[in-house]
Each structure stands twice: as structure tokens, then as C-alpha cells.
Amino acid sequence: MITSYQYRLKPNYEQRCRLTRWLDMLRCQFQGNRIIFPKFGAIKFIQHRPTPDGFIIKRALITKKADGWYVTLTLEDKSVPNNPTVDIKPTEDNSLGVDAGLEYFAACSDGTLVKPPKFYRQSENNLGKLQSKRDLRAIGSKARRKLNQRIARLHQRIVRQRKQWHYEVAGQLLDRADVVFIEDLKVSNMARRNKPKQDEEGSFLPNGQSAKSGLNKSFADAGIAGFLNEILPDKAEKAGKRVIKVNPAGTSQHCAVCLNRVSKSLSERWHDCPHCGASMPRDLCSGILIKKVGLGIASLKNAKSRKRDGEARALIYD
């Protein structure tokens, strides 16, 4: 089994100067509250948790962050098996469908709606003030360097807040289900710039990029890609549970109750089905439909996608 531990270093001035030239160490050993490196000796560190017995240090990576220096140790113990492959059969009772979005970060098939905290938006004013103040200082001055450090620490705080919240949400979802169905989203494609538009004379026309820029900022603030692709699967693997991705095509354009197609634009946030009368938030409808698709109760593979085909239905399996 291979795992990694990260500790914060406390180098002195001479060691900090040498660390800027040697960021990657291959060997190290512990001695009390110090880590001994072959390049520049012993450095104090904060041991917030002890390394497990029996593990061998395979690699030590030193990195510099906004609040100081850190060392990441890669540990290996061949006697400890890797996480076994989880083979849980999803059922109606032990599964949960989750639709990730911006209005609701997670809309679950059981009716739970989780709103995003928007950590970047909350700190945007403070960040703008610091950046404006920094721009008034001379390039290369001590005051400008100090303001750059404050800006970097604020960005680091936002990242850590978001990551901590992601882990808390992942734990809450996995506490309610053994299998979590999510969409196989390509967030990088969703956050692409709009294609430019030109008239016959070659002049550029409005293409909606101004509004799209705000949407892209919200995508980055929510951190949907990191949550769905890294944090939730990692948390599920350690808990002995499963995360299954389903095809997202059509999950927002069909009714979760009768499976008839109900076309909606991106600005329409409420689902009203003219066929069965179902009425609910759009994201909640998608979460319920994601679960049905994941369980194999319904299939959107052959559903028609054109807006004029209002009667197009997904396949229903009895």
C-alpha cells in the first residue's frame, strides 16, 4: 500500500535560500522534531500526526506555498494490502442520484438540495481592494511584495475553504447511500469561451461572452470538476462505497416521472411537465432521472433531442 503524508516545515533563513534551488529530495529521515535531508541537513517541522509504523519513506517532495514550506512524504508498506475493489450492487434503497450544478451544488434524488457557499464571491471585494492597492505600489518595492503575499494567502484560504466543504458534502452524501450516481460531466467544455460571430463585412458581433464569463467564474468558484472527479470518488473508495457515472445527455430535458421530453432553456430553473403534471425544481428532476438511468430503470440513449419533438420519450424498462 502506498500513501502520502504532508507536514509543514520551519526552515531558517539560510535553509530557505537553499530550498529555492533544491525543491525535490529523494531521501530523508526523522530525528525528533526535525527532518534530515542529504542536501542541507536538518529542518524543523510540525508533526501534526505521526507516520504509521512499518512504512518506508520512498520519496520526499518539498513545495513552497503562500503560507510557508511543506514536505510531502510518499510512504510504502508492502505488507498492507491496497484498497479492495468494491462490488456493491446498486438497488433502489442503497443508491442516490446527484445532479451537480450552480444554483444547487448537489440536487439529490431523495429531495435534498445543497446550495454552494461561493467562497470566492464572498472574498471578491477584499481581493479587489488588495489588488487595487498593490497596483499603486512601485514594481519591486517591499510594499508591493507584502501585498502580493496577502493576495496569495487570501487565494489559498479560498481554496482550502472550498476543499474542506467538498469533503464535508461528500461525507454527507456517502452517509445516506452506498452507491452514488453522478453525471459524467466535461466541465472544461462547459466553461469554454463562446465562438466569435462576424457579419458579412468582418465586424465582430455580440456573442454573449460577457454573460458567459460570469458563468465561467461561477464554475470555477463551485469546483464541480474537482468534487466529481477526485474528492467524491476518493472518499467513496476509502469508505468502501461506489460512485458510478452516467451519460448526462438528456437528463435535464426529460421528466423524471413520465420520461416525456420537456425542453427547457438554461434560464428556466423549474420543471413543469405538461404530460403528467409533475412540478419540481429542474435540478431535483435531473437528480431523480440520473438515479433511474443509473439503476437501468430508464434509458435516454434513444431519446430524440430536437426541441420540436416534444412527445419524444425515453425507454422505460419494467
Side-chain angles (χ1 to χ4, degrees):
M1 178 180 180
I2 298 178
T3 185
S4 61
Y5 277 45
Q6 188 176 82
Y7 299 103
R8 183 173 180 179
L9 296 175
K10 300 177 67 177
N12 55 35
Y13 176 76
E14 180 181 355
Q15 290 171 335
R16 288 198 300 270
C17 294
R18 298 174 66 185
L19 278 171
T20 57
R21 298 192 297 269
W22 299 95
L23 293 182
D24 194 3
M25 303 298 137
L26 296 179
R27 301 184 305 275
C28 67
Q29 59 182 355
F30 293 99
Q31 185 179 18
N33 64 339
R34 287 175 169 81
I35 299 180
I36 302 177
F37 294 98
K39 296 292 183 180
F40 40 78
I43 300 179
K44 289 183 179 181
F45 76 106
I46 301 175
Q47 191 173 12
H48 60 278
R49 58 174 175 172
T51 56
D53 297 332
F55 279 79
I56 301 174
I57 300 177
K58 301 293 291 185
R59 183 181 177 86
L61 177 64
I62 298 178
T63 55
K64 185 180 181 181
K65 299 185 180 181
D67 61 341
W69 294 88
Y70 289 83
V71 58
T72 302
L73 304 178
T74 301
L75 310 176
E76 181 183 21
D77 189 351
K78 296 182 179 180
S79 63
V80 179
N82 294 322
N83 293 331
T85 303
V86 180
D87 188 15
I88 301 176
K89 185 177 180 180
T91 63
E92 184 72 27
D93 296 330
N94 70 350
S95 61
L96 186 70
V98 178
D99 176 70
L102 298 180
E103 182 181 11
Y104 297 106
F105 181 79
C108 306
S109 56
D110 62 356
T112 303
L113 301 175
V114 181
K115 288 192 174 182
K118 301 179 181 179
F119 295 111
Y120 179 80
R121 299 282 188 180
Q122 293 176 5
S123 303
E124 197 170 13
N125 289 336
N126 293 336
L127 188 61
K129 291 178 182 178
L130 289 175
Q131 290 172 337
S132 298
K133 190 175 181 180
R134 185 266 316 273
D135 293 339
L136 298 176
R137 301 297 185 265
I139 297 177
S141 63
K142 185 177 180 180
R144 189 181 179 94
R145 288 197 302 269
K146 286 187 175 181
L147 285 171
N148 280 330
Q149 291 175 357
R150 291 179 61 184
I151 293 171
R153 285 196 296 268
L154 181 56
H155 276 296
Q156 184 186 50
R157 180 172 178 266
I158 295 170
V159 172
R160 289 177 172 176
Q161 283 179 318
R162 183 186 300 118
K163 188 173 183 180
Q164 174 66 25
W165 184 77
H166 281 172
Y167 273 103
E168 292 175 358
V169 173
Q172 294 170 6
L173 295 178
L174 294 171
D175 286 341
R176 299 204 300 271
D178 295 331
V179 180
V180 177
F181 296 109
I182 60 174
E183 292 177 305
D184 189 11
L185 296 177
K186 304 296 182 184
V187 180
S188 59
N189 294 340
M190 299 165 62
R192 282 182 178 177
R193 292 180 59 88
N194 292 342
K195 292 183 178 180
K197 295 182 179 179
Q198 291 179 294
D199 57 15
E200 297 178 354
E201 299 178 355
S203 301
F204 287 97
L205 301 174
N207 63 344
Q209 181 56 41
S210 177
K212 187 64 165 58
S213 298
L215 186 66
N216 293 346
K217 184 186 291 188
S218 297
F219 274 121
D221 191 11
I224 296 175
F227 176 78
L228 295 180
N229 299 327
E230 298 176 12
I231 293 179
L232 184 59
D234 179 68
K235 190 85 172 177
E237 183 181 5
K238 292 180 179 179
K241 300 183 179 182
R242 295 183 64 187
V243 173
I244 301 177
K245 294 184 178 182
V246 302
N247 191 341
T251 54
S252 63
Q253 301 297 324
H254 288 80
C255 178
V257 179
C258 65
L259 300 184
N260 278 294
R261 180 174 179 82
V262 183
S263 298
K264 296 181 285 290
S265 63
L266 186 61
S267 60
E268 297 179 55
R269 308 312 304 171
W270 194 265
H271 170 77
D272 283 312
C273 182
H275 305 281
C276 66
S279 180
M280 65 186 79
R282 169 185 177 146
D283 295 337
L284 177 59
C285 178
S286 298
I288 298 173
L289 189 53
I290 289 170
K291 179 177 178 179
K292 289 187 175 182
V293 174
L295 290 174
I297 300 175
S299 173
L300 302 178
K301 183 177 181 180
N302 297 327
K304 297 181 180 180
S305 59
R306 290 177 294 178
K307 291 185 177 180
R308 62 184 180 86
D309 296 324
E311 295 295 330
R313 296 191 64 189
L315 297 178
I316 304 176
Y317 300 101
D318 296 328

